[in-house]
Amino acid sequence: KRILPVFETQDVDSLFDLIDETTTVGGAPLGAVKLDYAQIFGASRNLEDDIARLGEGLHKRSRERKFSTMLGSQVANDVIKRGMERWLQFKDPGAIRSSLGDTEWCRRLEKLSKAVWALVRPGRWQREWGEDVPDNCAELHVIKQNFGSMGWVELGWEGTTTRFLNP
């Protein structure tokens, strides 16, 4: 009742229109906007500009209307390649951990964000790289946070139910 999923691909302007028109969800004021896969909101020829405009518009709207926003993305392919090369050479899964500037979308948006987090499942990557290890842990990396501490948080991972657990 309190979630309004939208599955159609939106461009930045139609997304703003939808957010501006949505004042309540299930009778309660709009409290959060979660957009996943930021790359689909921009045209490939001007993706970074579109994503920067998306971030600026979301920031303005969330400040004015007092709702939170969360934007999902994937790390750049370079990070995955770097992680694989380091794993094959040193058996060190740490290189798959992303940092600022490693997203596939927009560094300007990272600068505007109040927090930037990365989620990594080392076992998932190790399995992809040929190791027979369990995929049962995840790591949440708080890369940037204007209002608190930063660092790594280890989590348990249950893939069959897509749940994070206390380790």
Side-chain angles (χ1 to χ4, degrees), residues 60-76:
K60 177 180 182 264
R61 284 165 174 80
S62 65
R63 188 176 52 241
E64 290 171 354
R65 293 179 49 197
K66 311 251 186 290
F67 62 78
S68 63
T69 57
M70 182 187 307
L71 214 55
S73 183
Q74 68 184 34
V75 297

Side-chain angles (χ1 to χ4, degrees), residues 32-117:
V33 172
K34 165 76 170 85
L35 307 173
D36 196 11
Y37 214 61
Q39 294 89 328
I40 66 171
F41 299 110
S44 60
R45 67 186 182 286
N46 60 356
L47 177 63
E48 182 150 344
D49 288 339
D50 281 352
I51 299 303
R53 193 165 59 89
L54 175 66
E56 291 164 0
L58 287 172
H59 185 70
K60 177 180 182 264
R61 284 165 174 80
S62 65
R63 188 176 52 241
E64 290 171 354
R65 293 179 49 197
K66 311 251 186 290
F67 62 78
S68 63
T69 57
M70 182 187 307
L71 214 55
S73 183
Q74 68 184 34
V75 297
N77 288 334
D78 295 357
V79 177
I80 297 169
K81 183 179 176 189
R82 178 186 72 207
M84 181 182 68
E85 289 170 355
R86 187 165 177 109
W87 173 257
L88 293 174
Q89 187 174 9
F90 302 109
K91 299 295 184 197
D92 174 14
I96 197 65
R97 294 174 174 161
S98 58
S99 59
L100 284 177
D102 284 343
T103 58
E104 190 67 55
W105 31 282
C106 180
R107 288 170 181 86
R108 292 188 307 188
L109 184 57
E110 286 180 343
K111 291 177 182 174
L112 180 65
S113 297
K114 300 295 182 201
V116 176
W117 298 359

Side-chain angles (χ1 to χ4, degrees), residues 146-167:
N146 290 358
F147 47 82
S149 59
M150 296 181 292
W152 284 98
V153 178
E154 291 187 18
L155 304 166
W157 168 253
E158 187 178 276
T160 57
T161 59
T162 318
R163 288 180 17 177
F164 296 104
L165 311 165
N166 287 329

